[in-house]
Every structure is written in C-alpha cells, then in structure tokens.
Amino acid sequence: MIAFVRSAVFALIFYLGSVPIVVGAMLVGFIAPAGVIAGARLWSGWFALTTRWLLGIRWRVEGTVPNHAGLVAIKHQAAYETILVLWLFQRPAVVLKAELLGIPVWGTAARAHGVIPVDRAGSATALRAMLKAANFAKAADRPVVIFPEGTRTAIGDAPELRAGLAGLYRALKLPLVPIACDSGRCWPKGFVKHAGVVTFRVGEPIPAGLDRPAIEARVHTAINALNVL
C-alpha cells in the first residue's frame, strides 16, 4: 500500500511538473536549438529528483560515464534508464524507434534534440537516415547511446542483441563503452515502483574494428553483469 501511494504521488507531481519544462524547452528550441538539449537535461533532472524523494529510488554510477564521441550500449530493463540517460550524459544522441518521432510535439522536440531513429523494418532509406544522424552526432562530439536489446527485458533475461548495434559500431569506427544496470528491481513493469538503488556499472571501453560476433559477445557479457535474479 505504501509503495502504491508513493507511486501515485510521484506520477501526479512528476507529470504536472513536466508540462512547463517540456513546453518551455520547445519554445526556447524555436529560438536556439541547443535549448532543447538543455531542456531535456532539466526534465531528466526533475525525474531524478522526484524519483529520489518521492519514490525512494537512488542511483549510483560505478566508473566514469563517457561524454565525448563514442558508442555507448546500455542494458534495458525499465523506462527509468531511458529518461535518466539525459541526465547521466551531458549531450547524448539517443537511438530510438523511428515511429516515436510521429508523436505530436514530442517527436518535434526529439528531432531537435538530435535523436537517432532506427527502423526495425530495416529499409535502405531508414538505414541511411540512421547512419547520417549517427555521423552528425560523431562530428558534434556527442556520445551515441543505444539500448542494444531493442526492448525492455525482465530481470534475468539476456536476449541476443539487435543488428543495429553492430551496424553503428562498424559505421562509426569508434570505441564502444558497455553499461550494465539493474533498474528492473526498482522499476518493474506496471504502476507500482519500489524504493532502492539502481546501479549503472560502466565497463571497459571496447576498441573499434572488431567483427560482429566479437563485439556482440563482449557487449552482451558486459551489459548483463548485474542481470541476476
């Protein structure tokens, strides 16, 4: 019951507070596109603050989060890390499903932020768009952040990685930093969330130039370092 009440209070306060932040970022973005990045970071900071004080969910980072050009692969167990990456990284270019860009207002803001769309259908046009956006992020010295499993996974699950990871790794020719996380313990699927600590464990950088089986094997092992029942 306590967890339910805390979750309800969080939902109310977080979403109400998000409205002026998101609208303000959009308005600033019309004048200066860089304002969208600052607004997204502010929104993620608001998320970190409300989850900490209303839900009792804290986070810690083991290692150093990269903030320059490179590829970053993160374990995906919850919506928690998809929002918090905008706070953990200063200017991340996040890989996300292309269909999300069709959401009114949000899609416009996401494009202005410099997200990298990926189309699961894998058409040639979609692939070119993804690589173009990724190279633009590389030229701007921004880390490219990808959730290589493609979808949220349950605690203990370690599915094969999607092909997009190897494609970006090969195209960008940059080192890759894997990050494990265990957010599913505090942020399970459903409405009720639980107090606790979410750990982000930053792995050793993997050099560019490995073949697909090698890079996928190393990333798969690293991002699942905390994935135990």
Side-chain angles (χ1 to χ4, degrees), residues 69-131:
L71 188 56
V72 181
I74 305 179
K75 178 70 179 179
H76 187 19
Q77 288 188 340
Y80 182 84
E81 61 269 12
T82 64
I83 300 177
L84 200 66
V85 293
L86 299 173
W87 182 254
L88 293 177
F89 298 86
Q90 294 177 7
R91 298 184 304 136
V94 182
V95 178
L96 50 70
K97 293 183 292 186
E99 55 263 35
L100 294 177
L101 297 180
I103 299 175
V105 182
W106 190 93
T108 301
R111 290 181 186 278
H113 191 276
V115 300
I116 300 172
V118 58
D119 186 349
R120 292 182 180 178
S123 68
T125 300
L127 178 60
R128 285 194 296 270
M130 180 182 73
L131 295 179

Side-chain angles (χ1 to χ4, degrees), residues 127 130-131 162-172 212 216:
L127 178 60
M130 180 182 73
L131 295 179
R162 299 279 182 147
L165 173 72
L168 281 174
Y169 172 77
R170 182 175 60 252
L172 292 175
R212 178 174 176 178
E216 288 187 344

Side-chain angles (χ1 to χ4, degrees), residues 141-152:
D141 197 31
R142 298 174 65 179
V144 174
V145 178
I146 184 172
F147 298 96
E149 293 158 317
T151 189
R152 179 174 52 191

Side-chain angles (χ1 to χ4, degrees), residues 11-205:
L12 177 64
I13 293 178
F14 171 67
Y15 288 111
L16 284 177
S18 294
V19 172
I21 296 174
V22 173
V23 172
M26 285 293 298
L27 294 176
V28 171
F30 286 121
I31 302 172
V36 174
I37 295 178
R41 186 166 168 77
L42 177 62
W43 176 64
S44 186
W46 171 243
F47 175 77
L49 182 69
T50 52
T51 53
R52 170 66 181 91
W53 295 108
L54 299 178
L55 293 175
I57 299 176
R58 294 175 289 120
W59 51 272
R60 67 184 176 198
V61 176
E62 298 178 355
T64 303
V65 172
N67 271 305
H68 296 284
L71 188 56
V72 181
I74 305 179
K75 178 70 179 179
H76 187 19
Q77 288 188 340
Y80 182 84
E81 61 269 12
T82 64
I83 300 177
L84 200 66
V85 293
L86 299 173
W87 182 254
L88 293 177
F89 298 86
Q90 294 177 7
R91 298 184 304 136
V94 182
V95 178
L96 50 70
K97 293 183 292 186
E99 55 263 35
L100 294 177
L101 297 180
I103 299 175
V105 182
W106 190 93
T108 301
R111 290 181 186 278
H113 191 276
V115 300
I116 300 172
V118 58
D119 186 349
R120 292 182 180 178
S123 68
T125 300
L127 178 60
R128 285 194 296 270
M130 180 182 73
L131 295 179
K132 179 180 179 181
N135 278 301
F136 187 80
K138 175 182 176 180
D141 197 31
R142 298 174 65 179
V144 174
V145 178
I146 184 172
F147 298 96
E149 293 158 317
T151 189
R152 179 174 52 191
T153 62
I155 299 172
D157 286 352
E160 293 184 0
L161 307 184
R162 299 279 182 147
L165 173 72
L168 281 174
Y169 172 77
R170 182 175 60 252
L172 292 175
K173 297 180 174 60
L174 291 171
L176 186 154
V177 175
I179 299 180
C181 83
D182 57 359
S183 58
R185 302 182 184 283
C186 297
W187 204 277
K189 187 176 181 180
F191 180 74
V192 178
K193 313 307 177 190
H194 305 287
V197 179
V198 175
T199 299
F200 293 90
R201 181 175 295 171
V202 183
E204 291 295 321

